[in-house]
């Protein structure tokens, strides 16, 4: 695993763009044919590995889709579809944020769970994926599916703990894609449909590297109470154009320069929050990636940028006072740990007479309203969305 280092990951805008450009020639028929192959760490050449950049919005979904369409037209349909899964999950969770809250593990991990997290189950592929995840901060999509399925149906561990383990280690760890993918494997997202890790399928898509024995032969979908009702998509309150503002940059969107801020910007700050992903320690690689992505966003800002850490919310008040503003503006923060922190900070900001305003991307406004039910409802609307986004 020594051949995968932080330098391989797109933690700046330039690296993300270079990686996208290098992958685009492969994003057509070749991707559709080979994307399921997991050839192990250092050999994930059939997929883009852009997820950490997309998650931090060093590149955007729109940008990836535009580049793929430009190079391959309809041959890029599979790649485009996969990118839309991300937007779908974000929009779905936005309308059911309680699902994220309920996914937080409540009990401490027991010994069997700790063994699984240390890669000591005796199931060779599973233990290898633990090592890969911890060493590199990434797993191929197929490995994530097999891993989650073995965790839930063979090891019979709590899916919430597994999802939390992923969030602590994945560079692309995302409240929506991660929580909803774990729920999908468990049979809680598409209700009644779960995912069983099949040894032949694992052997085929790892090119014979693994052929595990002793996996659960059935995967009866988990059940829970009725899902929380869908709420209307939150509408961000409009920015106050006359009022000078402090620009807050979080890992939810490291390209604030894409937004047309209607108010004068008096200063900027980055706010690190990857430690909020879990009550347990988050991997140093995850924190380093966030730090690099935020530092890169700061370098692109014209003017000095303060470095803040999401601890005591008073840091926001003090920073706003230092730069003399009563408005803080930020690219939209979707459902997840940073949103939770900002919600908790709201009374402190209120008391100090500071308003926090968020600006959502046109892409999210176009796609998220379609994420009300299953993915296929959204998929039917992809041609219409692409047209509205000027991509068709
Ligand atoms: C249990 C489980 C947990 C997951 N947790 C996360 C997570 O925390 N963060 C995350 O970004 N993805 C998550 N995924 C989705 C998917 O595995 C990764 O996005 C993908 O493996 C990233 O690799 P890539 O960039 O090489 O993908 P590519 O195949 O090159 O796809 C291009 C982009 O499309 C998006 N994408 C592709 N597949 C999916 C998918 N199934 N769901 C959502 N978006 C997708 C990603 O942004 C990805 O970068 C999870 C999947 C499973 C099964």
């Amino acid at each position: 695993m020594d051949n995968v280092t932080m330098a391989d990951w797109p933690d700046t805008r330039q690296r993300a763009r270079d990686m996208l450009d290098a992958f685009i020639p492969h994003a057509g028929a070749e991707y559709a044919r080979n994307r399921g192959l997991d050839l192990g760490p250092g050999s994930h050449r059939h997929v883009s590995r852009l997820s950490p950049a997309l998650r931090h919005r060093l590149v955007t979904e729109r940008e990836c889709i535009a580049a793929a369409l430009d190079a391959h037209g309809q041959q890029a349909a599979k790649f485009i579809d996969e990118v839309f899964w991300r937007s779908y999950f974000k929009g779905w969770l936005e309308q059911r944020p309680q699902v994220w809250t309920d996914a937080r593990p409540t009990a401490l991990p027991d010994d069997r769970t700790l063994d699984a997290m240390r890669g000591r189950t005796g199931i060779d592929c599973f233990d290898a994926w633990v090592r890969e995840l911890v060493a590199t901060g990434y797993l191929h999509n197929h490995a994530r599916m097999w891993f989650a399925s073995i965790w839930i149906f063979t090891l019979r561990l709590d899916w919430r703990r597994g999802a939390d383990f992923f969030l602590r280690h994945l560079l692309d760890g995302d409240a929506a894609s991660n929580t909803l993918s774990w729920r999908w494997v468990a049979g809680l997202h598409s209700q009644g449909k779960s995912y069983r890790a099949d040894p032949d399928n694992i052997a085929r898509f790892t090119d014979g590297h693994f052929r595990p024995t002793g996996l659960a032969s059935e995967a009866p979908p988990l059940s829970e109470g009725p899902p929380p009702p869908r709420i209307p998509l939150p509408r961000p309150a409009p920015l106050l154009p006359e009022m000078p503002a402090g620009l807050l940059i979080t890992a939810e969107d490291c390209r604030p320069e894409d937004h047309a801020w209607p108010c004068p910007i008096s200063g900027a700050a980055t706010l690190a929050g990857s430690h909020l992903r879990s009550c347990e320690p988050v991997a140093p690689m995850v924190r380093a990636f966030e730090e690099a992505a935020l530092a890169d966003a700061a370098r692109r800002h014209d003017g000095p940028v303060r470095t803040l850490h999401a601890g005591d919310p008073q840091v926001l008040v003090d920073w706003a006072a230092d730069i003399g503003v009563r408005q803080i503006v930020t690219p939209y923060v979707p459902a997840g740990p940073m949103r939770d922190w900002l919600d908790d900070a709201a009374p402190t900001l209120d008391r100090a007479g500071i308003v926090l305003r968020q600006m959502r991307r046109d892409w999210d406004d176009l796609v998220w309203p379609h994420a009300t039910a299953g993915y296929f409802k959204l998929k039917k609307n992809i041609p219409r969305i692409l047209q509205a986004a000027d991509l068709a």
Side-chain angles (χ1 to χ4, degrees), residues 226-251:
R230 183 162 68 84
I231 58 163
L233 265 179
R235 266 172 201 265
L239 278 68
L240 307 172
E242 305 306 324
M243 204 190 244
L247 172 65
L248 188 66
I249 308 167
T250 73

Side-chain angles (χ1 to χ4, degrees), residues 18 51 56 73 110 115 153 185 197 221 227 231 258-259 272 281 316 338:
D18 290 349
S51 50
H56 293 74
D110 60 15
D115 278 347
F153 299 112
V185 170
I231 58 163
D258 286 349
H259 298 266
L316 291 182
M338 181 52 87

Side-chain angles (χ1 to χ4, degrees), residues 23 31 35 44 46-52 54-55 61 64 79 81-87 89 138-146 148 166-167 170 172-179 181-182 184-185:
F23 184 70
Y31 176 83
R35 76 192 171 89
H44 294 304
H46 299 304
V47 287
S48 71
R49 297 185 306 125
L50 278 166
S51 50
L54 275 157
R55 186 257 175 263
E61 292 98 316
C64 293
F79 181 71
D81 218 24
E82 294 304 318
V83 176
F84 265 107
W85 268 101
R86 174 183 157 76
S87 305
F89 280 144
Y138 177 85
L139 282 181
H140 185 280
N141 181 57
H142 236 151
R144 297 183 199 207
M145 290 160 66
W146 298 320
F166 265 25
L167 266 190
L170 283 171
D172 64 32
D174 177 83
S177 288
N178 189 58
T179 308
S181 296
W182 273 85
W184 178 83
V185 170

